[in-house]
Amino acid sequence: MFRPGLVLFYHICRRYCLSTVDSQHKMTLQWTVVAIFLYVEIAVILILCLPFISAKRWRSLFNLSIWNWFAPYWNRGFFTMILILIILFCDALREVRKYSNAEPMGEAKLNPNLFDHLHMKLFRAQRNLYISGFSLFLWLVMRRVVTLINHVAVATVTGTSLQTQAESANQAAKKYQEDNLLLKQALLDEEKNTTAGKRLLRKEAEKLMEELKTAEDAVRKSNAEVEAMKRQANGLTKEYDRLLTKHNELQNLQAGAGDKKEQ
């Protein structure tokens, strides 16, 4: 009852063992290199995705002088590797389609191992298809991850510089605002001082006007006194002239009387 199931299980295990042995011992050099390349890609992508390594550190690592030697050949090597992986992928796809459509039913009776050998070939073709496909996919993903890391690092540096500029602009705005308040306060104080100065000047002007009026009154009085003194001086001059004339007349009369006595 269980014999057909055991036979089927035996054939499956045998086919798996044969395919595994063949894949381990008969893998060609090119697919060995592609498999190693796939493992390296997986390791590199896992390392690039480590959370405790920041984008700035990766960018500083990418900016080392050693990478400048490979910079002229990087794009050429990248597209060359894509072309090689596409060729290998197409070859593996052709092998898969080739062994998937094969039906050795008549020959399987003559050679019982032919069916297992055919499935082994199909397994190898599928394995090569997966290896080349994932290698191509991870190669593109790795390029994209490196580009995004550089962009994130540049954005982080730019964001830091913009934040610094924003903080400095904010501080400058606060300083200008404080200066504006101080200027307004100074203008208010100056306006108050100007108002007080105007009041003082007005008081000084009023005081000077009063002093000017007093001085004008004093000048008028002085002019009046001068006029009075002039009139008095003129009167005294006239009186002096009159007295001098009388004195001369008296002297003449006295001189005439003396002459008469002598005669």
Side-chain angles (χ1 to χ4, degrees), residues 28 59 72 78 158 180 222 243 245:
T28 58
R59 189 167 185 269
F78 176 76
T158 305
N180 191 13
S222 298
L243 291 175
T245 303

Side-chain angles (χ1 to χ4, degrees), residues 30-57:
Q30 60 182 5
W31 294 112
T32 303
V33 173
V34 174
I36 294 173
F37 183 72
L38 176 62
Y39 299 149
V40 171
E41 284 179 330
I42 294 172
V44 170
I45 290 175
L46 289 177
I47 293 173
L48 289 175
C49 294
L50 291 176
F52 55 85
I53 302 178
S54 63
K56 290 183 179 180
R57 292 185 179 179

